């Protein structure tokens, strides 16, 4: 499947999750063994229960360069019957031919589109045309994990053994003390408060320094960490990160879109693509028809950099 096609499926799954509520389970993709005995891939599925009846809705998505025709609708009719879906929905970025629309109406296939729109034809709730993307980067040279002197020698040796096995930013050697979730050093760096001095660096200028990360306040408003060993958790008093720090700022335009079913606007949104070293993440702000708004981060490449969107009207 093309990357563009999968991106559309993920967007539709996100929008349906926001629109459906907690009573609906959204999966993308889902593999269902049909009545034919074949394993069928469904782009997006919605599952819920009404009374004693299980409901399955399937959504198929196409991000192609041409308008979708009757052939795709016929294929979707067959898939709906094979997997036993209650309802089927076809979603296209490019719309549908007149024949496809007629056939969909006859077969009770709902048609939806995701259309790019300009700022005049969509709501003005965001009020901006550009955002400044602030990316904080760090080239980590050294990580030092300090263990309290009150820790027993046995526990200290167990912690050192974990660290000596080869620590990197993706090694889940830590555990969050508040909920027990395994955590990597990369996670810690992304979650930890960053010194405001980083943001004062001129764009593109590197500076070598040390960041000290210590436990949060006693009310538990900041997460803290321990080293996960075979003996259990070994507490940490401080983590020092030494490296080259850099901040990049760039102005990026929004792309605006509308998620439509027939003549009805189901959701509207804007998104901005954040690129770094050949990888791209996407941050979107979606607004449902009831006025509620959601911020969604799509990070298919697993980018390990932190980005903030600074919303505001750009005068220049």
């Amino acid at each position: 499947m093309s990357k563009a096609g999968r991106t559309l499926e993920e967007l539709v799954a996100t929008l349906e999750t926001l629109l459906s509520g907690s009573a609906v389970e959204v999966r993308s993709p889902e593999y269902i063994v049909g009545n034919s005995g074949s394993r069928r891939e469904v782009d997006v599925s919605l599952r819920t229960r009404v009374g004693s009846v299980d409901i399955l809705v399937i959504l198929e998505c196409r991000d192609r360069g041409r308008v979708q025709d009757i052939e795709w609708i016929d294929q979707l009719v067959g898939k709906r019957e094979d997997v036993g879906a209650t309802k089927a929905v076809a979603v296209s970025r490019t719309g549908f031919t007149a024949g496809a629309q007629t056939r969909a109406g006859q077969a009770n296939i709902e048609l939806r589109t995701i259309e790019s729109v300009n700022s005049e034809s969509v709501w003005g709730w965001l009020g901006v045309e550009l955002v400044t993307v602030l990316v904080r980067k760090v080239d980590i040279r050294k990580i030092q994990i300090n263990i309290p002197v009150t820790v027993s020698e046995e526990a200290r040796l167990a912690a050192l053994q974990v660290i000596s096995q080869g620590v990197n930013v993706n090694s889940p050697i830590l555990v969050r003390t508040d909920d027990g979730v395994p955590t990597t050093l990369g996670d810690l760096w992304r979650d930890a408060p960053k010194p405001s001095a980083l943001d004062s660096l001129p764009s593109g200028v590197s500076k070598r320094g040390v960041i000290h990360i210590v436990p949060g306040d006693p009310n538990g408003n900041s997460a803290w960490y321990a080293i996960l060993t075979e003996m259990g958790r070994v507490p940490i008093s401080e983590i020092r990160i030494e490296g080259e720090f850099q901040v990049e700022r760039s102005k990026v335009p929004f792309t605006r879109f509308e998620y439509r079913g027939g003549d009805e606007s189901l959701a509207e949104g804007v998104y901005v693509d954040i690129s770094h070293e050949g990888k791209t993440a996407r941050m979107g702000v979606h607004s449902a028809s009831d006025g509620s708004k959601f911020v969604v981060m799509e990070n298919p490449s697993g980018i390990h950099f932190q980005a903030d969107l600074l919303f505001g009207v750009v005068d220049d």
Side-chain angles (χ1 to χ4, degrees), residues 58-103:
I58 62 172
L59 296 93
E60 293 294 301
C61 309
R62 280 200 173 177
D63 191 356
R64 306 277 178 90
R66 58 182 177 82
V67 178
Q68 295 306 300
D69 58 22
I70 191 172
E71 181 178 354
W72 185 39
I73 303 302
D74 283 335
Q75 293 172 3
L76 187 49
V77 171
K79 180 178 286 190
R80 178 187 63 188
E81 295 174 353
D82 192 26
V83 301
T86 309
K87 186 179 183 64
V89 180
V91 184
S92 170
R93 281 195 186 274
T94 51
F96 303 88
T97 64
Q101 294 177 44
T102 299
R103 177 70 178 114

Side-chain angles (χ1 to χ4, degrees), residues 136 189 192-201 210-213 245 247:
R136 301 185 184 99
W189 166 253
K194 306 300 186 298
S196 58
L198 286 183
D199 297 341
S200 64
L201 283 175
V210 178
I211 290 181
H212 299 262
I213 304 176
F245 301 96
V247 172

Side-chain angles (χ1 to χ4, degrees), residues 7 10 14 19 26 35 55 73 89 93-94 128 131 135 137 148 216-217 225 260 265 292 296 306 312 314 316:
T7 299
E10 291 173 343
T14 298
L19 294 169
V26 180
N35 297 321
I55 304 296
I73 303 302
V89 180
R93 281 195 186 274
T94 51
V128 295
V131 291
V135 180
K137 301 190 297 181
D217 62 71
Y225 310 89
R260 299 188 63 85
S265 177
S292 55
V296 178
Q306 179 174 349
V314 178
D316 55 348

Side-chain angles (χ1 to χ4, degrees), residues 9 66-68 99 106 125 132 206 214 220 258 264 290 298:
E9 293 168 15
R66 58 182 177 82
V67 178
Q68 295 306 300
Q106 295 169 345
W125 53 266
T132 297
S206 296
V214 296
E258 197 169 16
E264 180 184 6
D290 63 0
E298 302 172 41

Side-chain angles (χ1 to χ4, degrees), residues 175-183 223-225 233:
V175 61
R176 287 207 304 248
T177 56
D178 55 352
D179 56 15
V181 173
T183 304
W224 191 238
Y225 310 89
R233 302 179 185 179

